[in-house]
Amino acid sequence: MLTLAKFSIGVGDRFGRQAQAQLRACELAAEAGVEVVPVWNKSNREHTIIGTEPTTTRAAADAAVRVRGWAKPYHVDADHIRLDTVDRFLGPCDFFTVDVADSIGQPADPAAVARFADRNAGLVGRHELPGLPEPVTITADDLRAVGAKYLEAAQDAGAIYRKIAAAKGAGSFVTEVSMDETDAPQTPPELLLILAALADEGVPLQTIAPKFTGRFNKGVDYVGDLRQFEREFRQDLAVIALAVGRFGLPANLKLSVHSGSDKFSLYPVIRRALRDTGAGLHLKTAGTTWLEEVIGLAEAGGDGLALAKEIYAAALKKKADLCAPYAAVIDIDPAKLPSADEVSGWSSEQYVRALRHEPADPQFNPHLRQLVHVGFKVAAGMGDRYLSAVEAHEATIARNVTGNLWDRHLKPLFVG
Ligand SMILES: [Zn+2]
């Protein structure tokens, strides 16, 4: 089986120009003694908004690996695909994030729910799990409730998995199951039973992305109760270890945190939990590499800064449209957005400090950052004008892309 390494990072790259600079961050981790495998993820939604094909993500990844001589594994992730959107990803991808969020809560066949509850009746009771102060308790009601709420989603995952396996061959790709884009976080007992249902469906998942407690807005820090997150995260790790032994799921099954990027306050919490348990992790970041492109343009001054200002002005004008597909994962206060006029008078330093995610900097503006984050459609509309500016200022941009991934993500999470 194609096996995902213990530590991996999902790097989004909206325009497919920064794969080398992203890979450089993984090289820095390797030089520091930690293997973190890069996974280039780009969802169907982002391909559709930009008008690109998954083959371009594969080409960019392969080219970067070739140029930099990266000898460790790497993957290309069909991020958040479903039965009706997976087709164009089948060729170029070797990692599939099977998104079943829409099927959660869809009514499952009562007879199938009863069979599920019968088959897993042995799980009812208190599970004392290593590293947890309290046992995880499963009741007969939990079995029926989880069956009713999640069985349809598990069956969906099975159907999508079998379609991919039929096209590519079982064992030739990594399977992730994602449930993060839904309303309510899954509790640890739910996670255990969901894994039971996925095992029943024969899905050899290596990563699972639950919805965690708290807000995971795009490109900005976590909003929520850190102690509750830590408690649930550790329970999830223990539940996964139990599920691997009990259901015969792949031994390297690990959590995938769809972070939306930049959950800086969670990194020490996650790092401690990984250290204490020896668990692996897949950290999926959003397309904040695109923000480093804008930061690099602004930092370059002259025509670069002018283009960065133009992008902001256009994003402000189209705010409602740009925000709509991301409504559940952004919190922008319009009153905190500077006017286009004001930004047009900014220096390079003012623009960079407003956009760059340095939480301690009083000039940092998370509202502007989230708007620019969803504003990549504006740059896509500029076509070659945007891409040639990115090329012209490649050195400045690459420094920002690598520095961001390494200093603000890989180092605090995996290296310390
Ligand atoms: Zn996600």
Side-chain angles (χ1 to χ4, degrees), residues 45 79-80 97 99 176 178 180-181 209 218 258-259 284:
R45 177 174 60 195
D79 195 11
H80 284 287
T97 298
D99 183 339
E176 167 162 327
S178 72
D180 60 310
E181 297 191 353
K218 296 278 185 189
H258 286 206
S259 69
K284 195 172 288 196

Side-chain angles (χ1 to χ4, degrees), residues 165-224:
K168 297 189 73 75
S172 68
F173 57 95
V174 173
T175 305
E176 167 162 327
V177 175
S178 72
M179 304 179 296
D180 60 310
E181 297 191 353
T182 186
D183 304 336
Q186 293 89 27
T187 64
E190 282 177 331
L191 181 63
L192 181 65
L193 296 175
I194 289 164
L195 290 170
L198 290 168
D200 283 349
E201 280 292 323
V203 181
L205 68 164
Q206 298 184 43
T207 53
I208 183 149
K211 182 181 174 73
F212 293 102
T213 188
R215 294 268 310 163
F216 286 74
N217 287 332
K218 296 278 185 189
V220 291
D221 204 351
Y222 177 72
V223 181

Side-chain angles (χ1 to χ4, degrees), residues 186-339:
Q186 293 89 27
T187 64
E190 282 177 331
L191 181 63
L192 181 65
L193 296 175
I194 289 164
L195 290 170
L198 290 168
D200 283 349
E201 280 292 323
V203 181
L205 68 164
Q206 298 184 43
T207 53
I208 183 149
K211 182 181 174 73
F212 293 102
T213 188
R215 294 268 310 163
F216 286 74
N217 287 332
K218 296 278 185 189
V220 291
D221 204 351
Y222 177 72
V223 181
D225 180 341
L226 284 176
R227 294 172 71 158
Q228 189 187 349
F229 175 87
E230 177 160 21
R231 192 164 56 240
E232 291 180 5
F233 188 82
R234 285 176 182 259
Q235 286 176 325
D236 286 349
L237 293 180
V239 156
I240 285 176
L242 174 68
V244 164
R246 201 125 174 179
F247 311 139
L249 290 166
N252 65 329
L253 174 61
K254 59 182 180 174
L255 280 173
S256 171
V257 178
H258 286 206
S259 69
S261 296
D262 294 33
K263 299 301 168 282
F264 301 151
S265 58
L266 295 185
Y267 291 171
V269 172
I270 295 176
R271 185 175 154 71
R272 274 198 305 274
L274 299 181
R275 188 197 54 206
D276 291 350
T277 60
L281 180 78
H282 182 58
L283 178 78
K284 195 172 288 196
T285 63
T288 45
T289 281
W290 131 257
L291 293 179
E292 300 304 325
E293 289 182 336
V294 181
I295 288 169
L297 290 173
E299 199 178 271
D303 60 332
L305 177 61
L307 195 68
K309 290 174 177 177
E310 193 184 326
I311 289 168
Y312 178 72
L316 194 59
K317 207 176 274 177
K318 294 182 188 156
K319 181 162 67 71
D321 277 356
L322 296 171
C323 292
Y326 299 94
V329 282
I330 48 176
D331 277 321
I332 297 175
D333 178 353
K336 304 253 169 66
L337 291 170
S339 70

Side-chain angles (χ1 to χ4, degrees), residues 76-123:
V76 178
D77 176 7
D79 195 11
H80 284 287
I81 50 85
R82 302 179 43 79
L83 202 57
D84 55 337
T85 51
V86 70
D87 289 305
R88 60 177 172 158
F89 293 88
L90 290 171
C93 293
D94 63 346
F95 186 127
F96 291 82
T97 298
V98 173
D99 183 339
V100 295
D102 285 353
S103 316
I104 295 172
Q106 296 297 319
D109 169 24
V113 174
R115 276 198 304 277
F116 169 76
D118 275 355
R119 202 167 37 241
N120 292 290
L123 291 170

